[in-house]
Amino acid sequence: MKHENVIGLLDVFTAEILLDQLRDFYLVMPFMGTDLGKLMKMERLSEDRVQFLVYQMLKGLKDLKPGNLAINPDCELKILDFGLARQAVSEMTGYVVTRWYRAPEVILNWMHYTQTVDIWSAGCIMAEMLLGKPLFKGNDHLDQLREIMKITGTPTPDFVVKLQSQDARNYIRSLSKVPKKDLHFVFSKASSNAVCVLEKMLLLDPECRVSASEALELPFFSEFRDVEEETEALPYDQTLDNADLPLDQWKRKRRGSALLLHNLLGQQRIFLLEYEIMF
């Protein structure tokens, strides 16, 4: 989790002394100032700022929507929230704003999905930065799909046969054929290099989308790219997260972890976020 484009954890502590009294603890994180969603509402972003922000997104890529991306006054970006990645499909697709940035295979549970779902999210956010408004603003799941297909066109037969759900295959085959739109027309004010990035990100078939590392090699990011900065994180160990423990053991582990990290990291106090632990 240590990455310059992922929010850092500077300290963790609890104000409680006795284990039985433990109800909350505090996470200390860098103060960033605003998030990308608020920034886009305040001003239209220039293409060079879009370049810099999307470059940073791709370096620290994870589950994304604009509100998950914190920005400081120097236009430095950090990814804030990883919680959405673990929600059940039924939970996360019910959240309207999140749906606008979700890959179609996740929204409609078409197939097992890979990390390219994050590439779709990044493409939607980049498109919004360039347009000044969301690209796919569906009212429900099926309307979201219709909005997407207005841009991507109707899926090809080769893609439809990959869908795991027979109902999904039947539904797609029943739709009227829609041609793919020319993104150079949709983003007429953007540079050719910017549109090239979107063309490789916003593809219905997840197997055809670029990976984060492939996207970073595109000419659009050459001005900012430093290959030595593009580190890859080790897989996250979810062993403890998936453990089934009694309440008193969870309390003991939470308090022990908080105190240990507090002692290791010292007394830095930049910004406090309180997390209530409901027992």
Side-chain angles (χ1 to χ4, degrees):
M1 299 298 287
K2 191 173 183 180
H3 192 285
E4 66 176 331
N5 297 117
V6 177
I7 199 71
L9 184 61
L10 300 171
D11 202 350
V12 180
F13 68 93
T14 178
E16 313 297 351
I17 298 175
L18 300 177
L19 188 64
D20 290 343
Q21 296 176 350
L22 174 59
R23 290 189 58 81
D24 53 61
F25 61 91
Y26 298 84
L27 306 182
V28 185
M29 300 176 180
F31 178 69
M32 294 298 289
T34 191
D35 65 59
L36 182 58
K38 293 175 183 175
L39 182 63
M40 286 192 290
K41 289 178 181 177
M42 291 188 292
E43 60 182 279
R44 186 71 171 267
L45 301 178
S46 62
E47 189 165 303
D48 59 340
R49 294 182 78 186
V50 174
Q51 278 179 292
F52 188 41
L53 290 170
V54 178
Y55 170 67
Q56 293 176 86
M57 247 194 286
L58 290 169
K59 283 202 300 172
L61 193 58
K62 197 64 180 179
D63 193 80
L64 302 177
K65 66 179 186 292
N68 290 35
L69 303 169
I71 312 289
N72 70 13
D74 294 324
C75 208
E76 293 172 339
L77 176 146
K78 291 184 187 292
I79 298 170
L80 293 176
D81 183 8
F82 293 89
L84 290 170
R86 298 188 196 172
Q87 288 178 321
V89 170
S90 61
E91 294 175 306
M92 67 187 178
T93 58
Y95 183 40
V96 176
V97 175
T98 298
R99 185 173 59 243
W100 297 345
Y101 307 95
R102 286 282 176 181
E105 67 269 22
V106 179
I107 297 171
L108 299 170
N109 200 23
W110 278 353
M111 59 183 71
H112 291 298
Y113 50 88
T114 66
Q115 289 182 339
T116 60
V117 297
D118 303 318
I119 294 295
W120 180 276
S121 299
C124 291
I125 294 169
M126 179 179 172
E128 184 171 343
M129 285 192 276
L130 292 170
L131 287 175
K133 61 181 180 180
L135 181 61
F136 306 121
K137 198 174 179 179
N139 296 317
D140 55 48
H141 303 165
L142 294 181
D143 188 49
Q144 184 72 22
L145 180 60
R146 286 190 288 268
E147 289 298 306
I148 289 171
M149 289 186 183
K150 287 178 184 177
I151 300 294
T152 65
T154 309
T156 63
D158 289 343
F159 174 65
V160 173
V161 297
K162 297 179 184 179
L163 302 181
Q164 294 172 342
S165 166
Q166 182 62 49
D167 289 340
R169 290 196 292 269
N170 292 340
Y171 176 73
I172 296 298
R173 286 167 178 156
S174 72
L175 296 175
S176 301
K177 300 301 180 186
V178 179
K180 183 180 184 300
K181 273 194 178 177
D182 183 353
L183 292 187
H184 290 275
F185 174 77
V186 178
F187 300 91
S188 58
K189 296 181 180 179
S191 69
S192 179
N193 282 340
V195 176
C196 177
V197 176
L198 293 173
E199 286 178 327
K200 295 178 182 298
M201 286 181 164
L202 298 176
L203 293 173
L204 272 183
D205 191 340
E207 295 177 1
C208 296
R209 290 178 210 142
V210 291
S211 65
S213 58
E214 290 168 342
L216 286 167
E217 295 176 357
L218 296 173
F220 187 63
F221 304 110
S222 58
E223 179 181 348
F224 300 108
R225 194 174 187 211
D226 184 344
V227 178
E228 294 181 359
E229 291 182 354
E230 296 169 15
T231 57
E232 292 189 12
L234 295 172
Y236 176 67
D237 182 2
Q238 298 187 32
T239 305
L240 182 60
D241 294 358
N242 295 330
D244 185 9
L245 300 175
L247 180 59
D248 62 334
Q249 289 190 38
W250 275 122
K251 280 188 175 184
R252 195 174 301 277
K253 283 185 177 293
R254 295 295 187 192
R255 182 173 182 273
S257 298
L259 291 175
L260 174 61
L261 208 52
H262 176 64
N263 291 334
L264 288 173
L265 297 174
Q267 301 298 317
Q268 298 179 59
R269 296 287 184 271
I270 294 181
F271 187 59
L272 299 183
L273 295 176
E274 180 175 358
Y275 279 65
E276 288 292 329
I277 307 300
M278 305 303 294
F279 292 117

